[in-house]
């Protein structure tokens, strides 16, 4: 299913390595601050975005991003 999501991205060397759906932009920014404080790598960057994405449900019922649609 395609929908608008707020996602926390982990970008390593300019490439998106991980993305997680967040319930709100404030929760995303809180997670970003926490991740930036605990990461030690210099090539790792975190970013919050609001974007269209293809989502799917996991076997446990949680929703995950299958593919980001960046425009």
């Amino acid at each position: 299913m395609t929908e608008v999501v707020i996602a926390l991205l982990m970008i390593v060397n300019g490439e998106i390595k991980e993305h997680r759906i967040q319930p709100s932009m404030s929760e995303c920014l809180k997670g970003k601050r926490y991740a930036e404080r605990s990461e030690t790598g210099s090539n790792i960057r975190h970013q919050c975005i609001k974007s269209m994405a293809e989502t799917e449900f996991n076997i446990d019922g949680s929703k995950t991003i299958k593919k980001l649609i960046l425009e």
Side-chain angles (χ1 to χ4, degrees), residues 12-31:
V12 180
N13 294 327
E15 183 179 334
I16 298 172
K17 291 291 184 182
E18 189 174 328
H19 40 67
R20 302 273 181 192
I21 293 177
Q22 301 295 309
S24 66
M25 188 58 79
S26 64
E27 288 292 319
C28 185
L29 293 171
K30 187 188 301 184

Side-chain angles (χ1 to χ4, degrees), residues 13-70:
N13 294 327
E15 183 179 334
I16 298 172
K17 291 291 184 182
E18 189 174 328
H19 40 67
R20 302 273 181 192
I21 293 177
Q22 301 295 309
S24 66
M25 188 58 79
S26 64
E27 288 292 319
C28 185
L29 293 171
K30 187 188 301 184
K32 177 184 173 189
R33 284 191 300 273
Y34 180 80
E36 287 176 341
R37 289 179 187 145
S38 60
E39 289 290 334
T40 57
S42 61
N43 295 331
I44 299 173
R45 191 168 61 95
H46 296 87
Q47 182 178 353
C48 292
I49 64 165
K50 184 176 182 179
S51 177
M52 291 293 291
E54 287 183 24
T55 60
E56 64 184 1
F57 287 98
N58 288 330
I59 198 164
D60 65 354
S62 63
K63 191 185 298 185
T64 59
I65 297 172
K66 185 176 180 182
K67 180 172 105 175
L68 282 171
I69 303 169
L70 302 173

